[in-house]
C-alpha cells in the first residue's frame, strides 16, 4: 500500500502479506517492533494524523483485541492505549481530542496526555466511526427501545442529547464545511448494502437525499456533491459511481469496474479510511478508483489475466475512466491539485 505522510511529501510502503515494512517510514518509526502493523492479513491498520499534523493515532492488534495509540510527531507514545473491538476514531478540528469508538464505548481522548478525559457512552453500537464537525459537535449512536438513537454532544457539554432516530444501523459523516450531518442507513443489515442517505441540517430539519443500494458515500471537498459507490446488479462484482447533489438530483455516473481487494476494503470501512485517504481531488472534480474493467479481463486459460489498475474519473457527464497506472489503490493528497496523486 502507499500512503501520504502528514505533509504529503513522502510515501510509505508496507507488505501486507508479511506485515513487514518494505520501506520504514512513519510506521517503522512509531510501531513497537514486536507488534503487527496490520490488523489482520491484508487489513492495514488505521493511521490518522491530527489536523495540525502533531499527533498520529494508530490502530493495531493488541493480544486478542485491537488498540489505538497516540504518538507525538517525534515518535513518543502519549498516554495509555485504548482497547476494544471493533475500534474507530475521529479527530476534533483543533487537534486537542480524539473521539474513539471501541467496542460499546465512546471516549474522548486528550491529545496532550493521551488520557481518556470523558466517557460519552457505554452502550454505543449500530455505527462505526463517530462524526465530528468543525465546531466540535460529536455524533454517535445508541440502540434503545428497538430504534437507533443518534446522540449529540460537544467537548464542553457534560451530557448528550438525542438528535434523531432511525430504524437500523447507520454510517455517519458531516458535510464538509458545514454542520449538516449525513446518515446512511441499511434496511437489511445482512444485504451488505446501504439503502438510504439522509441529511440532517444544523437546524434539525431532516430530508432524504437518495435511495440505494450503495456500499459507500463520500462528499466532495466543497460539500456540493456526494459520490455513491453502488453495485451494478450485474452479478459479476462490478460497481460504479453515482454523483448526486444535496437534493438527490442525479448529476452523472461513471463506467463500471470490479474493485480491487484493497479498494473493497476501503469501501467496507469508508467512514474511517476517507478521513485519511481521499478518493476526491482537492478541487472536487476528479475521483480515483482501483480495479479492473470487465472488458479488459483475459481468461486465465488464454494467458496472464490483466491486473488491477488505478483510474481517474472526472465527475461529469460523458466522461470515461482514464488509466493512471497499474495499482491496487489510489488516493489524492487533500491539499494538492489532481496531478499530485498517490497510487499503489
Amino acid at each position: 500500500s502507499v500512503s501520504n505522510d502528514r505533509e504529503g511529501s513522502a510515501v510509505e510502503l508496507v507488505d501486507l502479506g508479511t506485515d513487514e515494512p518494505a520501506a520504514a517510514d512513519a510506521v517503522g518509526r512509531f510501531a513497537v517492533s514486536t507488534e503487527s502493523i496490520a490488523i489482520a492479513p491484508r487489513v492495514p491498520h488505521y493511521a490518522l494524523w491530527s489536523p495540525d499534523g502533531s499527533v498520529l493515532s494508530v490502530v493495531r492488534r493488541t493480544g486478542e483485541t485491537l488498540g489505538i495509540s497516540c504518538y507525538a510527531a517525534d515518535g513518543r507514545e502519549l498516554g495509555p492505549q485504548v482497547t476494544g473491538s471493533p475500534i474507530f476514531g475521529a479527530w476534533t478540528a483543533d487537534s486537542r481530542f480524539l473521539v474513539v469508538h471501541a467496542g460499546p464505548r465512546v471516549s474522548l481522548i486528550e491529545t496532550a496526555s493521551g488520557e481518556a478525559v470523558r466517557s460519552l457512552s457505554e452502550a454505543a453500537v449500530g455505527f462505526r466511526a463517530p462524526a465530528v464537525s468543525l465546531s466540535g459537535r460529536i455524533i454517535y449512536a445508541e440502540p434503545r427501545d428497538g430504534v437507533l438513537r443518534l446522540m449529540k454532544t460537544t467537548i464542553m457539554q457534560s451530557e448528550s442529547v438525542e438528535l434523531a432516530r432511525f430504524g437500523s444501523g447507520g454510517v455517519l459523516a458531516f458535510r464538509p464545511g458545514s454542520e449538516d450531518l449525513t446518515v446512511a442507513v441499511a434496511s437489511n443489515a445482512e444485504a451488505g448494502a446501504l439503502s438510504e442517505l439522509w441529511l440532517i441540517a444544523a437546524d434539525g430539519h431532516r430530508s432524504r437525499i437518495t435511495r440505494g443500494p450503495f456500499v459507500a458515500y463520500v462528499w466532495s471537498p466543497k460539500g456540493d456533491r456526494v459520490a455513491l459507490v453502488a453495485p451494478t446488479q450485474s452479478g459479476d462484482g462490478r460497481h460504479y459511481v453515482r454523483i448526486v447533489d444535496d437534493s438527490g438530483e442525479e448529476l452523472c455516473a461513471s463506467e463500471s469496474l470490479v474493485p480491487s481487494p484493497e479498494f473493497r476494503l476501503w469501501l467496507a470501512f469508508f467512514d474511517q479510511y476517507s478521513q485519511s485517504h481521499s478518493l476526491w481531488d482537492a478541487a472536487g472534480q476528479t475521483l480515483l478508483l482501483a480495479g479492473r474493467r470487465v472488458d479488459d479481463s483475459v481468461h486465465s486459460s488464454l494467458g496472464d489475466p490483466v491486473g488491477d489498475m488505478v483510474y481517474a474519473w472526472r465527475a461529469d457527464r460523458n466522461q470515461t475512466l482514464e488509466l493512471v497506472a497499474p495499482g491496487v489503490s489510489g488516493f489524492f493528497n487533500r491539499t494538492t491539485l489532481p496531478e499530485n496523486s498517490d497510487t499503489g
Side-chain angles (χ1 to χ4, degrees), residues 23 38 109 164 236 258 274 314:
I109 310 301
D236 57 5
V258 178
S274 62
R314 186 174 180 85

Side-chain angles (χ1 to χ4, degrees), residues 3-157:
S3 62
N4 296 329
D5 74 354
R6 64 190 175 97
E7 296 178 351
S9 60
V11 296
E12 158 197 296
L13 303 177
V14 179
D15 184 343
L16 297 180
T18 63
D19 286 1
E20 293 294 329
D25 187 35
V27 168
R29 191 165 68 243
F30 292 110
V32 177
S33 59
T34 58
E35 293 180 321
S36 173
I37 59 173
I39 297 172
R42 299 189 67 84
V43 182
H45 62 287
Y46 305 132
L48 182 62
W49 283 101
S50 61
D52 66 1
S54 65
V55 178
L56 179 71
S57 67
V58 179
V59 172
R60 64 168 61 86
R61 288 198 306 270
T62 303
E64 296 300 316
T65 187
L66 300 175
I68 188 167
S69 299
C70 291
Y71 297 87
D74 61 8
R76 290 178 296 109
E77 187 168 7
L78 304 173
Q81 188 178 65
V82 178
T83 59
S85 182
I87 192 165
F88 304 94
W91 286 101
T92 58
D94 59 8
S95 301
R96 292 175 54 209
F97 298 94
L98 179 69
V99 185
V100 177
H101 178 203
R105 303 185 310 276
V106 178
S107 304
L108 195 62
I109 310 301
E110 185 181 52
T111 301
S113 64
E115 298 280 351
V117 296
R118 181 180 161 200
S119 174
L120 303 182
S121 176
E122 295 291 329
V125 297
F127 73 108
R128 294 189 300 240
V132 183
S133 75
L134 290 175
S135 70
R137 290 175 68 206
I138 301 168
I139 308 296
Y140 60 93
E142 293 180 340
R144 269 187 259 160
D145 303 324
V147 297
L148 189 73
R149 300 172 186 247
L150 299 189
M151 308 300 295
K152 68 175 181 178
T153 187
T154 68
I155 297 169
M156 303 305 296
Q157 282 180 272

Side-chain angles (χ1 to χ4, degrees), residues 13-340:
L13 303 177
V14 179
D15 184 343
L16 297 180
T18 63
D19 286 1
E20 293 294 329
D25 187 35
V27 168
R29 191 165 68 243
F30 292 110
V32 177
S33 59
T34 58
E35 293 180 321
S36 173
I37 59 173
I39 297 172
R42 299 189 67 84
V43 182
H45 62 287
Y46 305 132
L48 182 62
W49 283 101
S50 61
D52 66 1
S54 65
V55 178
L56 179 71
S57 67
V58 179
V59 172
R60 64 168 61 86
R61 288 198 306 270
T62 303
E64 296 300 316
T65 187
L66 300 175
I68 188 167
S69 299
C70 291
Y71 297 87
D74 61 8
R76 290 178 296 109
E77 187 168 7
L78 304 173
Q81 188 178 65
V82 178
T83 59
S85 182
I87 192 165
F88 304 94
W91 286 101
T92 58
D94 59 8
S95 301
R96 292 175 54 209
F97 298 94
L98 179 69
V99 185
V100 177
H101 178 203
R105 303 185 310 276
V106 178
S107 304
L108 195 62
I109 310 301
E110 185 181 52
T111 301
S113 64
E115 298 280 351
V117 296
R118 181 180 161 200
S119 174
L120 303 182
S121 176
E122 295 291 329
V125 297
F127 73 108
R128 294 189 300 240
V132 183
S133 75
L134 290 175
S135 70
R137 290 175 68 206
I138 301 168
I139 308 296
Y140 60 93
E142 293 180 340
R144 269 187 259 160
D145 303 324
V147 297
L148 189 73
R149 300 172 186 247
L150 299 189
M151 308 300 295
K152 68 175 181 178
T153 187
T154 68
I155 297 169
M156 303 305 296
Q157 282 180 272
S158 59
E159 304 256 337
S160 299
V161 298
E162 184 177 313
L163 173 65
R165 299 183 183 185
F166 287 91
S168 59
V171 184
L172 315 173
F174 276 101
R175 183 179 185 174
S178 79
E179 297 294 308
D180 298 339
L181 178 72
T182 41
V183 183
V185 297
S187 57
N188 182 355
E190 296 182 358
L194 300 163
S195 57
E196 296 178 325
L197 183 66
W198 289 82
L199 182 70
I200 304 177
D203 61 6
H205 176 72
R206 172 171 158 175
S207 61
R208 183 171 53 215
I209 297 177
T210 190
R211 295 182 183 271
F214 57 94
V215 297
Y217 74 93
V218 57
W219 283 98
S220 69
K222 296 179 180 179
D224 59 340
R225 303 187 293 171
V226 61
L228 302 102
V229 181
T232 62
Q233 309 298 321
S234 59
D236 57 5
R238 280 183 288 175
H239 288 65
Y240 72 108
V241 179
R242 298 167 48 202
I243 304 293
V244 301
D245 64 15
D246 59 4
S247 70
E249 181 180 354
E250 299 280 346
L251 302 178
C252 55
S254 74
E255 299 172 88
S256 63
L257 55 69
V258 178
S260 68
E262 289 77 7
F263 189 29
R264 285 185 183 276
L265 179 66
W266 188 98
L267 295 172
F269 301 100
F270 69 90
D271 48 334
Q272 180 69 67
Y273 284 123
S274 62
Q275 298 180 56
S276 55
H277 294 70
S278 177
L279 300 185
W280 282 101
D281 72 305
Q285 298 178 341
T286 302
L287 289 149
L288 289 178
L289 312 173
R292 60 181 178 85
R293 299 174 64 173
V294 173
D295 55 357
D296 289 340
S297 62
V298 177
H299 194 278
S300 58
S301 64
L302 302 177
D304 294 332
V306 174
D308 292 315
M309 304 286 178
V310 175
Y311 295 93
W313 178 56
R314 186 174 180 85
D316 205 348
R317 292 184 181 275
N318 302 316
Q319 297 297 310
T320 60
L321 298 177
E322 299 293 336
L323 177 63
V324 176
V328 297
S329 60
F331 307 101
F332 282 110
N333 184 327
R334 292 177 177 275
T335 59
T336 57
L337 295 176
E339 59 267 21
N340 294 326

